[in-house]
Amino acid sequence: MKKNLLLKFTICFFAFCLTGFLLISLLGDWYVDRMVTRNQISTLHDIASSLTDAYPNAIADADPVNGNTEVLTQYLDTCAVLSHCEIWLLDTSGNQQYSSTGHTYTEAISFDPTDSTGGYYMLGDFYGYMPEHTITVFAPLTSYYKTTGYLLLHKTHDRLTPAINQSLNVAYQTLFLLCVLSLLFPIMFRILVNRPLNKIITAARQYAEGNLNYQSHVKTNDEMEYLNDTLTDMATRLNTTAEDQQKFIANVSHDFRSPLTSIKGYLEAMEDGTIPTELYSKYIHIVLDETDRLNKLTQRLLTLNGFDTRGTYLNWESFELNGVIKKILATFEGRCIEKKITFEFTYSARQIYVYADLDKIQQVLYNLIDNAIKFSKPDSVIAIDTLTRGEKVHVTIKDHGCGIAKENLNKIWERFYKTDSSRGRDRKGTGLGLSIVREIITAHKEHIDVISTVGVGTQFTFTLPTAHDKEKQDA
């Protein structure tokens, strides 16, 4: 696989720098020229306004014939030098009364204020009087609310070149400094993104090759670390699943091998005459029992497989729980009489409605009660209790049997797990009943707990949601 993410990022970085220089080279000159020109127009307009405001009467009364223009001329000359522009003074007829350069036109200048671009300035050669592109800003001269002439300020474009070049230099220097500082981004990208990503890629490759125990260490406190932890957790789960699968296959093989070996042994003994004919009936019943055990094991495996592959489909409905429990207890009457076991059924209300899958809850109750009878001592009592607490119904089934060791409590939910006492006491058990119980309760998004003491007994408690009034009516 090509590792070109860093290369792509670096190419994008240099493309950004090159694009910046090209934009400044191609568009920067035009933009800066426009910006400097606008600033210069504003500056010249401010100067013109100041001149007309400071000396309105002197400018209006300026008349070379009367010889009273000396002070005004000196002031305008000073302003022209300081502002680096050429100043003209025109009367309303266009006759030039003053020029800061000393060169005046004898003929009238055809100046029309309405030709201005923005109302107070012109751009160009000013009717051909200027040798190059020039900014001309003018202001009217008034005396006693009457226009007596115009003050014009001319500034050629070549005088703007230093300001334009200075602005362009600042732009280039700023871009260069940004590009230099931006070199930190590829470095930080390599440290913060590229290196952790390479570790994650290495881990993914190890997992793909089957090394699910490989551990990658990424500590960045960001999405990279989250991605790495997620990938590691996935590998851990896959590894656990693989181990569970091996254990599952071993357990399946063991539980299938035992009845098959028994069936094969009895049939061979019957075939070679080891078992006499008069005992055939006895051993045929044993073979049928082992066959029934195999069938039960297969059915429960199919049930659990359905939970794993499709999820647990629930047919939600409202039903009365106490009546369901009573019907199930009635099916165990024969076994209870045989072992002299009695049921003690208590409830917080005569009728308790729950909202769940009736068939699957019946399966849960049957499995738990069957286990309670199976492991209870003779002449003992199995206590069953239903109690409503808020929006939940707590169902408890407690036996007085052999109990389960503390270290084995977490294992009873595993498929095919049977304690030693269970194997000795119940050879027909499949070890799948409690796994199915937990799958069903979990599918209902409820909880099931177990408390057990060796030699005292075991208590299972699970919860179900109560039915709402409308659901009761529908039921």
Side-chain angles (χ1 to χ4, degrees), residues 15-43:
F16 164 77
C17 295
L18 180 61
T19 302
F21 279 109
L22 289 176
L23 286 176
I24 292 179
S25 300
L26 298 176
L27 301 178
D29 188 47
W30 169 82
Y31 179 77
V32 172
D33 182 276
R34 183 181 179 184
M35 180 183 66
V36 172
T37 299
R38 288 181 177 274
N39 289 339
Q40 193 61 53
I41 291 172
S42 178
T43 301

Side-chain angles (χ1 to χ4, degrees), residues 36 54 71 131 170 190 211 213 234 249 309 318 321 338 364 378 397 412 420 444 449 451 468:
V36 172
V71 176
V170 171
R190 180 174 179 81
N211 183 13
N213 293 317
M234 180 193 70
I249 293 174
T309 57
S318 176
L321 180 62
E338 182 181 348
V364 168
I397 299 173
I412 63 174
D420 293 338
H444 282 78
D449 299 310
I451 301 174
H468 299 294

Side-chain angles (χ1 to χ4, degrees), residues 170-182:
V170 171
Y172 278 117
Q173 291 171 5
T174 302
L175 178 62
F176 178 76
L177 181 61
L178 287 176
C179 290
V180 171
L181 293 177
S182 298

Side-chain angles (χ1 to χ4, degrees), residues 152-221:
L152 286 76
L153 282 73
H154 303 286
K155 195 163 192 175
T156 57
H157 189 270
D158 61 343
R159 291 182 177 273
L160 304 181
T161 301
I164 293 174
N165 291 338
Q166 184 180 4
S167 298
L168 286 174
N169 289 335
V170 171
Y172 278 117
Q173 291 171 5
T174 302
L175 178 62
F176 178 76
L177 181 61
L178 287 176
C179 290
V180 171
L181 293 177
S182 298
L183 287 174
L184 294 174
F185 283 99
I187 297 174
M188 298 302 295
F189 180 84
R190 180 174 179 81
I191 295 174
L192 299 179
V193 178
N194 192 250
R195 287 182 181 176
L197 188 59
N198 286 336
K199 291 182 180 180
I200 294 174
I201 291 173
T202 301
R205 186 181 297 110
Q206 291 291 326
Y207 299 149
E209 293 174 355
N211 183 13
L212 298 177
N213 293 317
Y214 181 83
Q215 295 289 327
S216 60
H217 301 283
V218 175
K219 300 297 180 182
T220 56
N221 295 322

Side-chain angles (χ1 to χ4, degrees), residues 305-321:
N305 183 65
F307 290 162
D308 290 341
T309 57
R310 300 186 303 273
T312 308
Y313 173 76
L314 299 178
N315 182 22
W316 293 90
E317 60 180 310
S318 176
F319 59 89
E320 202 282 305
L321 180 62

Side-chain angles (χ1 to χ4, degrees), residues 362-408:
Q362 284 179 327
Q363 189 174 4
V364 168
L365 292 167
Y366 185 92
N367 286 346
L368 293 178
I369 295 173
D370 180 62
N371 275 353
I373 295 173
K374 195 180 299 178
F375 301 114
S376 288
K377 299 174 183 177
D379 297 311
S380 62
V381 176
I382 297 175
I384 301 172
D385 179 67
T386 57
L387 175 63
T388 302
R389 293 179 181 174
E391 297 296 322
K392 300 292 182 181
V393 175
H394 296 255
V395 181
T396 301
I397 299 173
K398 181 179 180 181
D399 65 59
H400 297 83
C402 57
I404 304 170
K406 184 177 180 180
E407 62 271 15
N408 295 330

Side-chain angles (χ1 to χ4, degrees), residues 22-232:
L22 289 176
L23 286 176
I24 292 179
S25 300
L26 298 176
L27 301 178
D29 188 47
W30 169 82
Y31 179 77
V32 172
D33 182 276
R34 183 181 179 184
M35 180 183 66
V36 172
T37 299
R38 288 181 177 274
N39 289 339
Q40 193 61 53
I41 291 172
S42 178
T43 301
L44 292 176
H45 182 260
D46 291 341
I47 295 173
S49 298
S50 299
L51 289 173
T52 56
D53 291 342
Y55 293 90
N57 295 329
I59 294 176
D61 296 338
D63 183 2
V65 177
N66 298 326
N68 60 348
T69 62
E70 183 177 355
V71 176
L72 176 62
T73 300
Q74 291 178 355
Y75 181 76
L76 293 177
D77 287 342
T78 302
C79 290
V81 172
L82 294 177
S83 60
H84 304 286
C85 66
E86 182 178 348
I87 300 177
W88 290 3
L89 197 61
L90 303 179
D91 60 18
T92 55
S93 299
N95 296 313
Q96 190 176 23
Q97 303 295 324
Y98 166 79
S99 173
S100 60
T101 61
H103 174 74
T104 58
Y105 295 94
T106 56
E107 70 276 8
I109 298 174
S110 57
F111 170 65
D112 184 1
T114 61
D115 293 338
S116 61
T117 304
Y120 59 89
Y121 70 91
M122 298 179 180
L123 299 176
D125 58 1
F126 192 69
Y127 305 107
Y129 288 99
M130 293 296 168
E132 59 180 290
H133 187 77
T134 303
I135 300 173
T136 301
V137 175
F138 61 89
L141 303 173
T142 59
S143 177
Y144 306 108
Y145 306 103
K146 181 180 179 181
T147 301
T148 59
Y150 296 94
L151 180 69
L152 286 76
L153 282 73
H154 303 286
K155 195 163 192 175
T156 57
H157 189 270
D158 61 343
R159 291 182 177 273
L160 304 181
T161 301
I164 293 174
N165 291 338
Q166 184 180 4
S167 298
L168 286 174
N169 289 335
V170 171
Y172 278 117
Q173 291 171 5
T174 302
L175 178 62
F176 178 76
L177 181 61
L178 287 176
C179 290
V180 171
L181 293 177
S182 298
L183 287 174
L184 294 174
F185 283 99
I187 297 174
M188 298 302 295
F189 180 84
R190 180 174 179 81
I191 295 174
L192 299 179
V193 178
N194 192 250
R195 287 182 181 176
L197 188 59
N198 286 336
K199 291 182 180 180
I200 294 174
I201 291 173
T202 301
R205 186 181 297 110
Q206 291 291 326
Y207 299 149
E209 293 174 355
N211 183 13
L212 298 177
N213 293 317
Y214 181 83
Q215 295 289 327
S216 60
H217 301 283
V218 175
K219 300 297 180 182
T220 56
N221 295 322
D222 56 16
E223 288 81 355
M224 284 294 177
E225 182 176 349
Y226 178 77
L227 176 61
N228 178 77
D229 292 344
T230 302
L231 193 63
T232 302

